[in-house]
C-alpha cells in the first residue's frame, strides 16, 4: 500500500520509549518504526541454504526478498541537520547509546504522523557528514517508497535528504547529462542497458557475485543476474573529462556495447 504524503520534515527528538519532552511537557507520541533493512544478510543466508541455485533462480529469490524488505539505502542529511545530530550525540551521558531520531510526517489527507528512523551515523564531511540507512524500494528526485512496519509507503523526498548518484554523460558532449540515477551506496557500475534506462551495480560481498542491482530511470530497484548486467561487454574506468558535467572527485566508467559508447560518472567510493 502506498500513501501519498505532502512531505517529510525531519525533527530531531531523543525518544524515551515513545515519548519526548516538548515545550517542557511530556508528550506521548504514537510513532511507527522504520527499521534498517537486513535484505543483504537474508540473501546471503538464502545462498548458503541453497548452494545449487542457478544464477537466475538466485536472482528471482533475492528479488522477492528485496520486494518485501527494501534495500539499505544511504540517505545523507544537510550540514545543519548533521550539526544537530552531533550535538545530541555529544550531550549523551553514554556515547554508546544509539540516538533515536524522530521524523514528523506531513500528510495531504491526514494529520501529522511520527516515525522513528534508524540510528544515524556520523562520518567525515567528504562522506556527507552523517547519514541513515532506510529500507527503500523506489526513489526519485521527488519521492521515495520505504517499508514501514511491513507496509510499502510513499513519501515526498525532503529537501534535506541526499543520496549518492550516478549520471550518464553524452559520449559526444561530455558537458551534457543524459540521465541520472539515485543509487543506494557508492558502487562501481557494472553495466548499462541498451536503451540507457537501467544502471547495474555490483555487490561487494563475494557470496553475491552472481547478482547485480538494477536501478531504473523511474527509480525502481530490482535484483537481476550479473550476466544480465554485463551483457554486451564489461566497462572500464577512465579519467574523468576535465570539461564534463560531473563534480570532483569522480570516476567515469566507459562501456562499449552494441556499437555504442556509454559514459557513467560517479563519485569515488567513500569509506563508511
Amino acid at each position: 500500500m502506498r500513501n501519498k504524503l505532502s512531505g517529510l520534515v525531519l525533527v530531531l527528538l531523543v525518544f524515551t520509549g515513545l515519548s519526548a519532552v516538548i515545550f517542557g511537557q511530556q508528550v506521548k507520541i504514537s510513532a511507527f518504526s522504520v527499521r534498517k533493512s537486513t535484505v543483504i544478510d537474508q540473501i546471503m543466508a538464502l545462498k548458503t541454504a541453497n548452494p545449487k541455485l542457478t544464477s537466475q533462480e538466485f536472482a528471482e529469490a533475492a528479488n522477492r526478498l528485496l520486494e518485501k524488505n527494501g534495500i539499505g539505502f544511504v540517505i545523507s542529511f544537510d550540514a545543519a541537520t548533521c550539526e544537530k545530530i552531533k550535538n545530541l550525540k555529544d550531550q549523551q551521558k553514554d556515547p554508546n547509546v544509539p540516538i533515536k531520531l524522530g521524523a514528523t510526517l506531513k500528510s495531504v489527507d491526514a494529520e501529522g504522523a511520527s516515525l522513528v528512523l534508524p540510528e544515524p551515523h556520523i562520518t567525515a564531511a567528504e562522506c556527507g557528514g552523517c547519514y541513515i540507512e532506510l529500507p527503500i524500494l523506489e526513489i526519485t528526485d521527488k519521492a521515495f517508497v520505504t517499508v514501514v512496519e511491513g507496509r510499502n509507503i510513499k513519501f515526498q523526498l525532503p529537501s534535506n535528504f541526499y543520496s549518492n548518484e550516478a549520471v550518464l554523460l553524452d559520449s559526444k558532449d561530455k558537458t551534457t547529462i543524459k540521465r541520472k540515477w539515485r543509487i543506494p551506496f557508492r558502487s562501481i557500475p557494472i553495466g548499462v542497458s541498451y536503451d540507457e534506462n537501467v544502471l547495474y551495480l555490483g555487490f561487494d560481498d563475494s557470496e553475491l557475485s552472481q547478482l547485480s542491482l538494477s536501478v531504473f530511470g523511474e527509480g525502481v530497484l530490482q535484483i537481476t543476474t550479473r550476466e544480465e548486467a554485463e551483457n554486451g561487454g564489461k566497462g572500464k574506468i577512465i579519467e574523468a573529462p576535465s570539461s564534463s558535467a560531473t563534480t570532483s572527485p569522480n570516476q567515469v566508467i566507459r562501456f562499449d556495447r552494441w556499437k555504442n559508447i556509454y559514459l557513467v560518472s560517479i563519485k569515488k567510493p567513500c569509506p563508511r
Side-chain angles (χ1 to χ4, degrees):
M1 180 180 71
R2 296 181 178 178
N3 297 337
K4 294 182 178 179
L5 302 169
S6 63
L8 185 62
V9 181
L10 188 68
V11 178
L12 297 173
L13 300 173
V14 179
F15 285 95
T16 305
L18 291 178
S19 64
V21 177
I22 303 177
F23 302 120
Q25 295 183 337
Q26 194 78 8
V27 178
K28 193 71 174 180
I29 299 176
S30 298
F32 298 97
S33 294
V34 181
R35 301 187 183 279
K36 184 177 177 179
S37 174
T38 60
V39 72
I40 298 299
D41 291 337
Q42 292 181 51
I43 294 173
M44 289 195 290
L46 174 69
K47 182 62 175 178
T48 301
N50 303 275
K52 294 184 179 181
L53 285 175
T54 66
S55 295
Q56 187 62 43
E57 291 169 339
F58 189 21
E60 291 173 356
N63 198 54
R64 288 193 291 270
L65 291 173
L66 173 65
E67 291 173 348
K68 183 178 180 180
N69 299 278
I71 195 165
F73 207 105
V74 173
I75 297 292
S76 299
F77 297 129
D78 59 13
T81 303
C82 287
E83 187 63 27
K84 293 178 181 179
I85 291 174
K86 291 175 183 176
N87 288 339
L88 286 175
K89 190 72 175 176
D90 292 340
Q91 293 170 12
Q92 290 187 155
K93 294 181 179 179
D94 184 352
N96 296 318
V97 175
I99 295 175
K100 291 188 177 181
L101 203 61
T104 297
L105 212 65
K106 210 174 206 180
S107 172
V108 173
D109 303 318
E111 296 181 358
S114 297
L115 295 179
V116 179
L117 301 178
E119 178 189 2
H121 300 271
I122 298 173
T123 64
E126 60 268 24
C127 296
C130 65
Y131 72 96
I132 58 174
E133 283 190 27
L134 294 179
I136 285 183
L137 294 160
E138 178 182 326
I139 184 167
T140 67
D141 288 345
K142 295 182 179 180
F144 67 99
V145 177
T146 189
V147 182
V148 182
E149 298 191 1
R151 295 187 177 185
N152 300 343
I153 303 182
K154 190 170 187 176
F155 303 113
Q156 286 189 3
L157 189 71
S159 60
N160 62 340
F161 275 32
Y162 304 95
S163 66
N164 295 308
E165 296 178 351
V167 297
L168 179 69
L169 302 178
D170 189 312
S171 61
K172 296 180 179 179
D173 176 12
K174 300 178 181 62
T175 63
T176 300
I177 293 177
K178 299 179 69 176
R179 181 177 292 282
K180 180 178 72 174
W181 298 274
R182 288 181 176 268
I183 57 178
F185 35 73
R186 293 193 188 182
S187 174
I188 302 297
I190 59 174
V192 181
S193 63
Y194 176 80
D195 62 1
E196 303 180 347
N197 187 50
V198 183
L199 180 71
Y200 298 93
L201 303 175
F203 292 100
D204 293 334
D205 305 280
S206 59
E207 297 92 334
L208 307 182
S209 60
Q210 295 172 273
L211 306 178
S212 67
L213 179 70
S214 52
V215 185
F216 288 77
E218 299 81 10
V220 176
L221 304 172
Q222 290 184 358
I223 291 178
T224 54
T225 65
R226 182 97 181 194
E227 291 89 342
E228 178 178 328
E230 295 179 343
N231 181 28
K234 297 182 180 181
K236 61 181 179 179
I237 297 176
I238 63 175
E239 291 296 323
S242 58
S243 60
S244 73
T246 62
T247 57
S248 183
N250 56 56
Q251 291 177 321
V252 173
I253 299 89
R254 173 173 171 156
F255 297 93
D256 294 286
R257 295 178 161 189
W258 309 291
K259 298 181 180 181
N260 296 325
I261 297 174
Y262 304 87
L263 298 179
V264 179
S265 177
I266 60 167
K267 286 187 176 181
K268 293 181 179 179
C270 188
R272 288 289 178 183

